[in-house]
Amino acid sequence: QVQLVESGGGLVQPGGSLRLSCAASGRIFTPNIMGWYRQAPGKQRELVASITSGGSTNHGDSVKGRFTISRDNAKNTVFLQMNSLKPEDTAVYYCNHYTLEFSWNYWGQGTQVTVSS
C-alpha cells in the first residue's frame, strides 16, 4: 500500500499564492505518476497537474501559467505551487499516486483550498 499525507491548504485572497505538499510512504515503486486533482461542490473531480517519476509534467488548461507541479523523488514528495489564485480555484485538492507496473492507484484525504476576499 501507499499512504499519502497532504498539507498546505487554506484560505487565501484572490491573486494570492499557496503551496501544497504531498508525502508518499509505503511500497513506492518506479515508474510512477503523482498528481493533484480537485473537486468543487457539485462538480466532477478534475486533473490539476501530474508529474512522472522521470520529471515529465502535465498541467490542466485552467491552471497553465499559474500553477506549477514539482517533486522530490528522494523524499517521495510532490508539490503544487499555486499563484494568481482565483475564486474558481476553490475546491478540495486531492493528491494521487499511480504505480504503472501494478496499476496501483491511491488517493490522499484531500485538503481544502478556498479563494475568497
Side-chain angles (χ1 to χ4, degrees):
Q1 286 189 341
V2 175
Q3 294 79 42
L4 301 172
V5 178
E6 301 145 337
S7 61
L11 172 65
V12 64
Q13 292 187 341
S17 298
L18 281 176
R19 189 188 194 214
L20 305 182
S21 300
C22 174
S25 61
R27 303 186 70 188
I28 307 295
F29 295 94
T30 57
N32 60 64
I33 303 172
M34 295 189 73
W36 291 95
Y37 289 73
R38 67 186 182 186
Q39 188 166 19
K43 294 188 176 181
Q44 289 189 331
R45 190 172 296 189
E46 64 173 355
L47 173 69
V48 177
S50 64
I51 183 168
T52 70
S53 46
S56 297
T57 62
N58 178 39
H59 293 80
D61 288 341
S62 62
V63 306
K64 284 180 181 177
R66 301 188 298 122
F67 293 9
T68 302
I69 192 169
S70 61
R71 66 187 289 169
D72 182 339
N73 284 338
K75 297 181 179 180
N76 294 315
T77 299
V78 65
F79 306 97
L80 185 68
Q81 179 65 44
M82 304 185 293
N83 298 329
S84 302
L85 282 159
K86 304 175 181 179
E88 52 263 43
D89 294 317
T90 296
V92 178
Y93 284 69
Y94 295 92
C95 179
N96 177 265
H97 186 285
Y98 181 75
T99 304
L100 276 72
E101 182 175 358
F102 305 112
S103 298
W104 293 346
N105 193 42
Y106 291 94
W107 294 92
Q109 79 282 2
T111 185
Q112 178 71 45
V113 172
T114 302
V115 185
S116 175
S117 55

